[in-house]
Amino acid sequence: MKLRLLIFLAIIICISFIFINCTSQNKDQFIFKMEKSTLKINKNDGEILFEGNGQQHFIESRPLQFLVNNDWISISSVGKIEYSDSTGAQISLELEDGSEAKMEITKLTENAVKLSISIEGSEATACRGFIGLNPVEEIYGFGEMWNGRVAQRGASFELWDKTGTPDECAYMPYYVSTKNYALFINYGGKVSFDVGKRRTDELVFEVPTGQLELMMVSGDNISSVVKNFLMVVGMPALPPRWTFEPWAWLMSDPDIPEGHISTLKGKHAIEMVNRFENLDIPIGVTWMEPPWQTARTSFVPSADYDPDLQKTISILAKKGVKTLAWTVPYTTNEASNWKAAAEKGYLVKKPGGNTDDGKVSITKTGETSGTNYNYIDFYNPEAYNWFKSQINIALDVGFKGFKLDAGQDLKEDALLFGNIIGADVHNSYANKYSQVFHDALTERYGKDFLMIPRAAWVGSSAYTNFKWPGDLTGSYANNGLPSSIYSSLSLAFSGFPFVSTDIGGFADRPAPEEIWVRWAQFGSMLPGMQTLHMPWWYSDKAIQHYRYLSWLHTDMIPMWNSLAKIAHETGAPVCRPLVWTYQDDVDCWRVDDEFTVGNALLVAPIYNSEYQRNVYLPEGRWINFWDEDEITEGKQTIMWSESEEDGLWSFPLYIREGAIIPMDVENEISGFGWNQKGEFITLAIWPEYLGSSEFVLNDLEGSVEIIVDWQEKDKLLISLSETKMNYIFRLHINDSKPPLSISSGSIDITEVSNKKLFRSRDNSEWHYDSEENNLWIRIKNDTGANSLKIILSE
């Protein structure tokens, strides 16, 4: 009995210790502590402060306001405080009109806290918050932004998804700050933001609901804040390796660019793939557009489109091409499943509770027009499971994933299961849409599928493994290539590391050659490279340039796949805005049109008709990708320029000194080797002089850590953790000569072989290319050595 009492007292003491360390108060503030962040609430006015690791992330510039009977009423003071346990508290708030509100505080993680605030017994219809902006602070995020910028300070906007060109279909009430915190407003409808436009020192948000749920997340820098946020809402799903091969798709006969979508047939996919093969351009993924099925969205293959679609998909698979299906989150009265959906209440309802008639009008480009209430009500568990069974009809045909179109135009007066109104989930509906397809695909294929949604919201990336921006014009206008660049980089802060773009746009076929080429350069540096515009619609020079970009992208699959694993585990985007890596450099904060691929490459796309542009190079030494002997010291803006004759076929692309890029090279087209695919992994390395760098290869086997250490002027060491692969090292060393000696472990391979013999043999040896200043070393794993020691000439 005494033992039990002692144990009980010990438990009470432990709980009390935790509780005391989580909550406290003084005469001025209520304090709620987590392990790595602290929430403070001023008692006299209810203003919120958020801190972490000794840094003040933000402070409300004014107290929260509620809209009651057309009057904005502010919180005036903190009343009673009740502690629930070590992870929560309830606080009563007094408003300036004498009414009361309540705040529930919930610890989510050591870095994240949730606040739920509402007025008791009131008809509040909106709320408004005011966050102070530091004189030196920048704001990013909000999902896929279409206002021509990535850094959002000085802008104001409404987050409301809508159809158009561009499609605004992935707005998210979430942002991250260079003050190392994130704020998420958990409301799936329209949210308005003013990010220091009206008042330069204040960020204002407004939500059309009287019940506000906020999540605040802290971190040491932007990358850790995003990771900490995603640990709550869900880490990005990991795409399979084959998804990093180039994609191509059709809207009509591959030889008739402007053909009507109704003329599209299954055989055209095979014809397209054959043309790519004849041009020696890699392709790994395609998808069937709307005519593949009998109606939208029956999921039943159309015999008119293809008498044997399953066979067509099988033929494509034998050619190494995976096939996806286009789909939408609605059905129509022409579909075989319409009657069941309508009669069983699986569709959203019109105002008054009636079901839509399911009639839709389709444009030439395959879009719907008019007002429709035929979306599936995924909030209804029965409808959700029923639709998942419909998806399986398509999977039985052999599709390896879906292109999820639409999802951004749920009607705001639609009625959904659980008394949900469309206005409240207009943006967040995308999550449910993605989730049902994710569940069906996961049950069928595990993780071996590709899903590419148009619409998305906070947390969607946990279900989808890619994102494409929707329809754009084939132009340099704000609804063309520039918007794709800005929106892709905006998504990087919002937990979507795997992005793609329609090379050449969608609205104009064919796009002008110059625009298609510039778009291809940008698209080849994204993890998902896709085109609707066939290379043979353009000049021979354009074809060859696209061929080069496609093979470069394909050769880089080991790097794409390795960066994907990092993204899956940390949320770090594959393509990173400069501020992501160089946050300490304020000059990077408003660079909206450059990014790095991992930490190795810096890309500055050309998105106008010029052959020059300013490029900001962060700290470090940067090597011109097109002339590796040209090195520029960073932390400066340079002018990149080319002649009009050569300018279209080049773009600003730089290699960070110290970069290690793993490649699986199949031919000589990219210039990084020859046909070594499946036999050797090529490690292209640009050693940092008297420095060290590392990369974790996570591709065909477990993680392999690669470390390059230039220890002394004439001594270079390369080490690999345990690995069974064979490797070819391509080291670019400026102003060098053939090394004095090379050893792999205890094995001396100093003997030099000429270039021709080096390429034809497969034993461990090396070759020095004096014209390119490249040292090539081949190491067979059967030597049992995982290290190289290179003694350079004096």
Side-chain angles (χ1 to χ4, degrees):
M1 186 68 178
K2 289 183 179 180
L3 179 60
R4 290 182 180 178
L5 180 60
L6 289 172
I7 293 173
F8 176 75
L9 289 173
I11 292 172
I12 293 297
I13 291 170
C14 290
I15 291 175
S16 299
F17 178 80
I18 295 171
F19 177 75
I20 291 169
N21 279 272
C22 286
T23 59
S24 62
Q25 55 182 305
N26 54 41
K27 66 176 183 178
D28 297 320
Q29 291 179 321
F30 166 76
I31 302 171
F32 187 85
K33 288 187 176 181
M34 293 153 284
E35 291 85 345
K36 294 187 178 180
S37 59
T38 302
L39 175 71
K40 298 180 179 179
I41 301 174
N42 290 339
K43 291 183 178 180
N44 64 335
D45 58 12
E47 286 184 351
I48 298 170
L49 299 84
F50 190 51
E51 300 175 349
N53 294 330
Q55 177 188 19
Q56 185 180 91
H57 296 310
F58 77 81
I59 179 172
E60 281 189 305
S61 55
R62 287 183 276 170
L64 187 72
Q65 296 179 347
F66 290 90
L67 182 64
V68 182
N69 297 324
N70 295 319
D71 291 325
W72 286 104
I73 303 171
S74 298
I75 293 174
S76 60
S77 63
V78 173
K80 184 179 179 182
I81 301 173
E82 295 181 359
Y83 306 118
S84 56
D85 55 28
S86 62
T87 62
Q90 295 82 38
I91 301 177
S92 64
L93 305 170
E94 296 180 3
L95 280 68
E96 58 188 358
D97 67 347
S99 59
E100 292 187 353
K102 64 177 181 179
M103 175 189 294
E104 294 188 8
I105 302 173
T106 306
K107 173 189 170 183
L108 299 175
T109 67
E110 62 184 9
N111 299 284
V113 63
K114 181 178 71 174
L115 303 184
S116 301
I117 311 168
S118 61
I119 298 181
E120 296 181 344
S122 172
E123 295 298 325
T125 56
C127 54
R128 194 158 59 185
F130 307 88
I131 308 296
L133 289 173
N134 192 276
V136 184
E137 180 180 7
E138 191 52 79
I139 303 294
Y140 310 94
F142 305 105
E144 195 173 58
M145 291 297 289
W146 297 98
N147 61 349
R149 59 202 301 176
V150 177
Q152 295 298 338
R153 187 163 185 171
S156 63
F157 39 81
E158 286 185 344
L159 303 183
W160 181 257
D161 293 353
K162 50 184 173 286
T163 298
T165 302
D167 285 299
E168 301 174 50
C169 49
Y171 286 137
M172 304 172 200
Y174 150 92
Y175 68 83
V176 62
S177 163
T178 52
K179 294 294 288 182
N180 300 330
Y181 79 94
L183 181 72
F184 167 47
I185 302 170
N186 191 9
Y187 177 69
K190 183 184 295 183
V191 182
S192 301
F193 282 91
D194 184 303
V195 190
K197 182 176 183 180
R198 188 179 58 85
R199 276 183 50 174
T200 58
D201 63 345
E202 185 176 69
L203 181 153
V204 182
F205 64 82
E206 186 173 322
V207 187
T209 177
Q211 296 183 338
L212 180 65
E213 183 179 304
L214 301 176
M215 184 198 303
M216 290 170 281
V217 185
S218 71
D220 298 326
N221 47 42
I222 285 177
S223 62
S224 68
V225 172
V226 172
K227 178 182 179 181
N228 294 338
F229 175 69
L230 293 175
M231 288 178 69
V232 179
V233 301
M235 285 293 178
L238 180 66
R241 190 179 193 268
W242 53 265
T243 62
F244 301 112
E245 299 175 20
W247 317 340
W249 56 289
L250 295 167
M251 286 287 289
S252 60
D253 186 310
D255 289 324
I256 307 176
E258 297 180 332
H260 195 283
I261 189 172
S262 62
T263 64
L264 184 64
K265 304 295 181 185
K267 65 179 182 179
H268 291 145
I270 297 175
E271 294 172 4
M272 174 190 70
V273 170
N274 288 340
R275 292 286 290 271
F276 273 95
E277 288 179 346
N278 292 337
L279 291 171
D280 192 22
I281 298 175
I283 173 175
V285 176
T286 189
W287 53 80
M288 306 296 186
E289 282 291 300
W292 77 266
Q293 56 193 333
T294 55
R296 303 180 182 207
T297 294
S298 69
F299 292 111
V300 177
S302 166
D304 182 60
Y305 174 80
D306 193 315
D308 193 343
L309 184 56
Q310 193 166 16
K311 180 179 179 181
T312 296
I313 293 173
S314 177
I315 292 172
L316 292 171
K318 290 177 181 178
K319 292 177 173 290
V321 178
K322 305 289 195 303
T323 306
L324 315 182
W326 175 97
T327 191
V328 286
Y330 60 79
T331 187
T332 66
N333 67 346
E334 295 182 355
S336 54
N337 55 17
W338 170 261
K339 184 177 180 181
E343 290 182 352
K344 294 182 179 180
Y346 295 160
L347 304 171
V348 304
K349 300 294 192 299
K350 300 169 69 173
N354 295 323
T355 300
D356 194 51
D357 61 12
K359 294 180 180 178
V360 300
S361 176
I362 308 297
T363 66
K364 176 183 177 181
T365 57
E367 304 296 313
T368 59
S369 61
T371 302
N372 302 292
Y373 293 82
N374 55 355
Y375 269 32
I376 306 298
D377 185 357
F378 295 125
Y379 294 86
N380 180 343
E382 290 186 8
Y384 186 99
N385 290 327
W386 170 81
F387 199 74
K388 190 167 68 171
S389 70
Q390 300 300 294
I391 295 170
N392 282 320
I393 297 173
L395 296 182
D396 289 340
V397 181
F399 291 117
K400 289 288 289 183
F402 291 93
K403 176 185 179 181
L404 306 185
D405 210 343
Q408 74 273 29
D409 52 4
L410 175 69
K411 305 309 171 189
E412 57 186 306
D413 56 0
L415 305 177
L416 294 90
F417 184 82
N419 297 318
I420 296 173
I421 300 172
D424 293 331
V425 295
H426 175 85
N427 295 345
S428 59
Y429 177 87
N431 267 10
K432 287 289 189 180
Y433 178 18
S434 294
Q435 188 176 359
V436 67
F437 278 89
H438 169 270
D439 288 354
L441 286 163
T442 301
E443 290 175 8
R444 180 67 62 101
Y445 294 123
K447 297 180 180 180
D448 189 30
F449 63 84
L450 172 58
M451 190 161 67
I452 318 167
R454 171 186 289 198
W457 200 66
V458 172
S460 290
S461 64
Y463 308 118
T464 68
N465 44 28
F466 262 93
K467 172 74 178 73
W468 116 97
D471 299 343
L472 295 166
T473 63
S475 71
Y476 291 137
N478 288 335
N479 58 356
L481 175 57
S483 285
S484 188
I485 296 170
Y486 299 136
S487 65
S488 297
L489 296 184
S490 177
L491 273 176
F493 299 98
S494 306
F496 289 77
F498 309 115
V499 293
S500 181
T501 180
D502 280 340
I503 292 173
F506 174 81
D508 308 290
R509 300 195 311 274
E513 178 170 291
E514 176 187 321
I515 291 167
W516 182 72
V517 168
R518 288 302 190 201
W519 213 316
Q521 293 165 353
F522 166 58
S524 68
M525 292 291 109
L526 300 181
M529 181 181 181
Q530 63 157 306
T531 186
L532 163 64
H533 301 257
M534 299 298 103
W536 49 90
W537 296 349
Y538 301 102
S539 68
D540 288 341
K541 195 164 187 178
I543 291 173
Q544 294 308 312
H545 187 62
Y546 186 83
R547 176 173 175 255
Y548 167 79
L549 293 171
S550 297
W551 276 114
L552 177 62
H553 180 94
T554 303
D555 287 348
M556 288 166 56
I557 284 178
M559 184 176 75
W560 297 125
N561 206 28
S562 298
L563 294 175
K565 304 289 176 60
I566 295 173
H568 174 59
E569 295 172 356
T570 70
V574 174
C575 298
R576 303 168 186 174
L578 298 192
V579 67
W580 186 277
T581 304
Y582 303 96
Q583 187 175 336
D584 291 339
D585 183 356
V586 178
D587 290 336
C588 288
W589 288 11
R590 297 188 71 86
V591 178
D592 295 322
D593 56 0
E594 298 179 30
F595 59 92
T596 62
V597 179
N599 293 328
L601 297 171
L602 184 146
V603 185
I606 301 290
Y607 51 93
N608 54 39
S609 57
E610 301 294 325
Y611 301 115
Q612 62 181 22
R613 62 157 289 173
N614 287 329
V615 178
Y616 183 76
L617 298 175
E619 185 176 8
R621 285 159 56 89
W622 296 91
I623 301 159
N624 186 342
F625 183 87
W626 313 105
D627 182 358
E628 296 177 61
D629 292 329
E630 179 186 310
I631 301 177
T632 305
E633 290 287 345
K635 214 168 174 54
Q636 65 167 315
T637 298
I638 64 170
M639 173 60 75
W640 178 91
S641 63
E642 287 283 354
S643 66
E644 185 172 345
E645 180 181 357
D646 300 324
L648 181 59
W649 315 108
S650 180
F651 62 101
L653 182 59
Y654 292 87
I655 306 159
R656 180 183 58 83
E657 186 182 60
I660 303 168
I661 300 180
M663 309 180 84
D664 191 4
V665 182
E666 189 167 339
N667 50 47
E668 300 184 24
I669 296 171
S670 71
F672 285 92
W674 49 98
N675 190 359
Q676 303 143 194
K677 187 174 179 66
E679 296 295 329
F680 292 87
I681 292 295
T682 296
L683 298 177
I685 301 172
W686 294 262
E688 181 180 357
Y689 181 65
L690 297 181
S692 64
S693 58
E694 62 183 72
F695 185 88
V696 177
L697 173 63
N698 206 330
D699 187 34
L700 296 175
E701 58 179 342
S703 297
V704 178
E705 185 179 17
I706 305 159
I707 300 175
V708 179
D709 189 5
W710 198 324
Q711 293 185 328
E712 302 170 17
K713 183 178 179 181
D714 62 345
K715 185 178 180 182
L716 187 63
L717 298 179
I718 301 175
S719 62
L720 284 73
S721 59
E722 185 176 353
T723 175
K724 296 180 180 180
M725 299 294 295
N726 300 319
Y727 293 90
I728 290 180
F729 298 84
R730 177 200 183 270
L731 293 97
H732 185 82
I733 305 174
N734 278 18
D735 302 323
S736 184
K737 297 177 181 178
L740 295 177
S741 69
I742 300 176
S743 57
S744 175
S746 60
I747 302 174
D748 189 340
I749 57 170
T750 302
E751 181 182 352
V752 179
S753 62
N754 65 47
K755 185 175 182 179
K756 183 177 180 181
L757 290 177
F758 182 82
R759 293 196 173 199
S760 62
R761 295 175 179 171
D762 65 356
N763 53 300
S764 298
E765 54 185 304
W766 60 276
H767 165 73
Y768 181 73
D769 186 337
S770 58
E771 294 181 3
E772 301 291 337
N773 283 336
N774 287 330
L775 173 62
W776 297 83
I777 305 171
R778 181 173 53 237
I779 299 296
K780 291 279 286 186
N781 186 263
D782 55 17
T783 63
N786 291 331
S787 65
L788 283 175
K789 180 179 179 181
I790 304 166
I791 304 299
L792 303 170
S793 349
E794 292 289 349

